[in-house]
């Protein structure tokens, strides 16, 4: 990916953008990150792109413009895009029960108490809708939360879309046999809901989910390095993934030469299965900023994009129960159809713009799109978990501080 314009031409101060470069070098030089890249786009042009450090420390492989990384939950917005493309085709309404297509969700029950030996459940008061899945208000959860009895049940039953050897349909069927954490629509709980949406896309379209993504989204958008695995000829560009050891030093978490991402997975995870590059993901950001079209290809109508970017919660995340985890803060942040929506920067205690959308992945990747400023930022690193370093908040301040027009 190349810088396409001078920063001043799109209202960005080059001297202030250099603070981003210094910030990046600081993390690499201190040993807190192996490597990272940052791209800043405004007015449809890439005005800043830098990569520093190493994609693979053991092999001294530089982190480069075309380095391929695990983007994990940054897959979710692309899966949500697939759902809304089918919505525009008249295949369903957003308030349709998902059980209309996935009958295994027809008779859901909700946990209200009990213990590991015996959960107490009651019938769901209403069906889970497609919009519930898009907004994480379905009552589903993640096993890694380790906070509730339902989370524990997910772990015991191996409800894990990253590691399962089952097919997508088989694992979704197994998931539907577990109780819900909350009544549909009652709480915001980050969850495997987007993986269920991937299966919904497959059932409604008649295509394998991964093939739908390739045929209908990734190829039309020329996201040539984005897929559910890394082909052999691209392995040299694939980054290793790291974590901190007990002493705070980087240790290898997932190698670049024997990662499961180098093999076609048994199932394509709509919630976290993609690998991508900064340039590829910036093309998705451009699609959103262009309200559904890019380089002569239209995937969504502009009104549907507008609907995606609206907050679909009655308030912010903090008002929707007690979120156990999110790739964002809770106060001042709502949720649209596939990503967070900034409602109130003061409440969120971070610089930003109402209406800005964002999300991130567990390996310290993130993006945000600000329609009001016609701006997007993509950050790629490979460090788990994403909460290990305050990368997103710091980069947000540095990039917004460069706006001078």
């Amino acid at each position: 990916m190349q810088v396409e314009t001078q920063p001043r031409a799109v209202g960005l101060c080059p001297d202030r953008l250099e603070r981003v470069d210094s910030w990046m070098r600081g993390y690499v030089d201190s040993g807190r990150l192996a490597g990272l890249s940052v791209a800043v786009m405004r007015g449809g042009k890439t005005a800043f792109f830098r990569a520093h450090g190493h994609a693979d420390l053991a092999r001294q492989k530089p982190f480069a413009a075309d380095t391929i990384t695990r983007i994990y939950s940054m897959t979710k917005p692309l899966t949500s895009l697939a759902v809304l493309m089918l919505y525009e085709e008249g295949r369903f309404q957003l308030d349709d029960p998902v059980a209309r297509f996935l009958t295994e969700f027809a008779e859901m029950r909700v946990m209200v108490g009990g213990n590991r030996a015996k959960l107490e459940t009651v019938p769901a008061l209403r069906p889970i809708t497609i919009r519930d899945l898009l907004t994480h208000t379905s009552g589903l959860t993640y096993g890694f939360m380790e906070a509730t009895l339902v989370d524990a049940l997910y772990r015991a039953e191996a409800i894990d879309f990253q590691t399962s050897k089952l097919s997508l349909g088989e694992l979704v069927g197994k998931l539907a046999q577990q109780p819900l954490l909350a009544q549909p629509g009652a709480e915001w709980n980050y969850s495997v809901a987007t993986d269920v949406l991937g299966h919904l896309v497959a059932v409604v379209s008649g295509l394998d989910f991964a093939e739908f993504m390739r045929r209908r989204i990734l190829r039309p958008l020329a996201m040539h390095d984005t897929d559910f695995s890394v082909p052999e000829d691209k392995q040299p560009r694939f980054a290793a993934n790291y974590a901190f050891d007990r002493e705070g030093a980087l240790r290898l978490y997932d190698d670049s030469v024997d990662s499961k991402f180098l093999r076609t997975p048994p199932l394509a995870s709509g919630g976290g299965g993609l690998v991508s590059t900064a340039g590829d993901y910036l093309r998705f950001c451009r699609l959103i900023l262009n309200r559904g079209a890019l380089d002569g290809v239209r995937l969504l109508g502009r009104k549907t994009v507008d609907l995606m970017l609206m907050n679909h919660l009655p308030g912010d995340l903090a008002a929707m129960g007690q979120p156990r985890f999110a790739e964002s803060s809770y106060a001042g942040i709502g949720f649209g159809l596939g990503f967070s929506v900034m409602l109130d920067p003061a409440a969120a205690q971070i610089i930003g713009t109402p209406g800005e959308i964002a999300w991130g992945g567990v390996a310290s990747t993130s993006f945000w799109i600000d329609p009001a400023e016609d701006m997007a930022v993509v950050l790629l690193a490979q460090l788990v978990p994403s909460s290990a370093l305050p990368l997103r908040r710091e980069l947000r301040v540095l990039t917004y501080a460069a706006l001078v027009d």
Side-chain angles (χ1 to χ4, degrees), residues 62-78:
F63 209 107
D66 62 352
T67 291
I68 299 171
T69 67
R70 306 152 191 80
I71 62 170
Y72 288 113
S73 288
M74 281 169 60
T75 305
K76 289 180 171 71
L78 288 158

Side-chain angles (χ1 to χ4, degrees), residues 18-75:
E18 286 303 314
R19 297 174 183 172
V20 177
D21 188 87
S22 298
W23 171 83
M24 296 170 70
R25 291 179 183 274
Y27 269 110
V28 170
D29 292 346
S30 67
R32 289 176 292 171
L33 285 177
L36 74 165
S37 66
V38 172
V40 180
M41 183 185 73
R42 196 163 192 231
K45 301 290 186 181
T46 304
F48 177 94
F49 178 76
R50 303 285 172 82
H52 289 299
H54 292 92
D56 188 319
L57 289 170
R59 298 166 184 87
Q60 290 292 288
K61 183 165 59 180
F63 209 107
D66 62 352
T67 291
I68 299 171
T69 67
R70 306 152 191 80
I71 62 170
Y72 288 113
S73 288
M74 281 169 60
T75 305

Side-chain angles (χ1 to χ4, degrees), residues 190-231:
Y190 198 39
S191 75
V192 296
T194 318
D195 287 294
V196 177
L197 288 172
H199 184 46
L200 175 71
V201 168
V203 169
V204 172
S205 70
L207 288 173
D208 175 80
F209 173 58
E211 183 57 28
F212 182 97
M213 294 294 284
R214 295 183 192 110
R215 189 183 302 183
R216 299 287 306 276
I217 294 177
L218 302 178
R219 290 172 189 159
L221 290 183
M223 295 175 67
H224 299 305
D225 289 325
T226 305
D227 209 327
F228 291 96
S229 63
V230 180

Side-chain angles (χ1 to χ4, degrees), residues 378-398:
V378 175
L379 162 69
L380 297 183
Q382 295 285 266
L383 176 72
V384 293
S386 57
S387 57
L389 295 171
L391 300 174
R392 298 166 186 173
R393 293 179 72 82
E394 291 176 352
L395 181 59
R396 183 179 294 269
V397 174
L398 291 166

Side-chain angles (χ1 to χ4, degrees), residues 131-142:
R131 192 179 77 156
D132 290 332
L133 294 171
L134 285 163
T135 58
H136 293 286
T137 57
S138 63
L140 298 171
T141 184
Y142 266 121

Side-chain angles (χ1 to χ4, degrees), residues 249-273:
L250 291 175
R251 64 171 177 85
L252 186 65
Y253 181 83
D254 184 38
D255 204 348
S256 67
V257 298
D258 64 1
S259 170
K260 69 183 180 69
F261 285 96
L262 297 174
R263 300 177 291 276
T264 301
L267 64 84
S269 168

